[in-house]
Amino acid sequence: KAHRPQTARHKKIIVLLDLARLETVKNRRDTYELLNCDDHRDLCTRKLKKDPKQYRPDICHQELLALIDSPLNKAGCLQVYIKTTSNVLVEIHPSIRIPRTYKRFSGLMVQLLHKMKIKASGSSTTLMKVIKNPFSRHLPAGTRVYGMSVGGKLYSPMSLAQAVLSDDPEGDDPPVCFIIGAMAAGHITKDDHPYIEEMFSVSEYPLSGAAAISRILGGIENRWGIV
């Protein structure tokens, strides 16, 4: 039986997109844009002496679309944060509409990184804002934190939801947080986040972050009867 959580009482699944490459650079037109491997290959290799393949802000864009567009978020059961490789921590309001195109997303993130917050036009709602580190200070007391990695303990999406959540989104069990990588290569580790209890995987194959998110949220939506 499907049930819809009441917005005043339900729990929220917390998701941190970690190690996102969101850095700004001034272009030849004297405006700022997100540093990325397609437009700034020479700048990365010659001036920054970095591998251009590391600069993939589009990964964060794809993951945010998967999260904010999900039925779980539309039901009011999701809280998303981003942490960049420059240690900038961002809180995302669930009502935000993520731009569909990368170019518009890039412009929005540049505005955020320079002004520290984005407000909704015609209202006082803050859609995105830079908040104080560490991330752990923003977690409710007793939150159980899990990391996602292809090397983690393998579960099907349904089995994972059953393992970490009760079937009642209004129950008294502790909140749950998933930490998911937003980088081009590498893994989330317990060294980066000592409060991670366990590492999980939702496929025996390496998945894109957006694909992994869709599987995780699908299992939770099924568990909680969100259609």
Side-chain angles (χ1 to χ4, degrees):
K1 180 185 175 184
H3 54 81
R4 300 184 186 280
Q6 298 298 309
T7 51
R9 296 173 57 198
H10 62 226
K11 280 196 288 292
K12 290 200 179 201
I13 299 296
I14 301 163
V15 173
L16 172 66
L17 300 181
D18 196 28
L19 297 175
R21 278 281 183 181
L22 301 174
E23 299 175 31
T24 62
V25 63
K26 189 180 277 191
N27 60 26
R28 290 169 185 167
R29 299 184 301 278
D30 212 33
T31 58
Y32 285 93
E33 57 191 10
L34 285 183
L35 191 58
N36 68 84
C37 62
D38 291 327
D39 300 323
H40 311 110
R41 185 168 295 274
D42 289 344
L43 175 67
C44 290
T45 52
R46 293 177 186 174
K47 188 175 178 182
L48 301 176
K49 309 293 186 195
K50 295 280 182 72
D51 183 356
K53 293 175 185 174
Q54 294 178 0
Y55 290 89
R56 293 282 311 281
D58 59 296
I59 293 174
C60 183
H61 181 215
Q62 293 162 8
E63 292 182 348
L64 277 177
L65 284 170
L67 288 163
I68 301 302
D69 284 356
S70 69
L72 192 71
N73 184 61
K74 293 178 191 297
C77 297
L78 193 60
Q79 176 59 58
V80 179
Y81 297 89
I82 302 169
K83 189 167 188 181
T84 74
T85 49
S86 304
N87 218 29
V88 177
L89 185 61
V90 178
E91 182 179 339
I92 309 291
H93 194 278
S95 70
I96 193 172
R97 185 182 184 278
I98 302 299
R100 305 289 107 177
T101 67
Y102 170 74
K103 190 172 182 180
R104 290 186 179 180
F105 169 77
S106 175
L108 187 71
M109 298 313 288
V110 167
Q111 189 181 345
L112 169 71
L113 293 170
H114 288 188
K115 295 187 176 180
M116 310 299 277
K117 62 182 172 183
I118 301 286
K119 285 201 166 189
S121 58
S123 93
S124 60
T125 305
T126 300
L127 298 175
M128 292 195 289
K129 62 182 177 182
V130 175
I131 56 177
K132 287 185 178 180
N133 279 300
F135 171 62
S136 54
R137 72 183 286 171
H138 303 284
L139 294 173
T143 300
R144 306 194 68 176
V145 183
Y146 304 106
M148 301 304 300
S149 165
V150 70
K153 186 176 180 182
L154 182 60
Y155 281 90
S156 73
M158 295 274 292
S159 300
L160 178 60
Q162 289 169 0
V164 302
L165 297 168
S166 73
D167 61 0
D168 180 10
E170 297 175 13
D172 294 329
D173 46 319
V176 169
C177 171
F178 293 102
I179 299 180
I180 300 167
M183 61 290 207
H187 304 286
I188 299 298
T189 67
K190 289 187 179 182
D191 293 336
D192 297 326
H193 303 279
Y195 41 83
I196 289 177
E197 288 185 32
E198 200 168 352
M199 302 296 293
F200 292 135
S201 171
V202 286
S203 176
E204 58 188 288
Y205 305 103
L207 300 178
S208 69
I213 285 167
S214 294
R215 287 176 68 80
I216 296 164
L217 299 192
I220 295 168
E221 288 156 4
N222 193 288
R223 179 75 166 152
W224 282 354
I226 297 170
V227 181

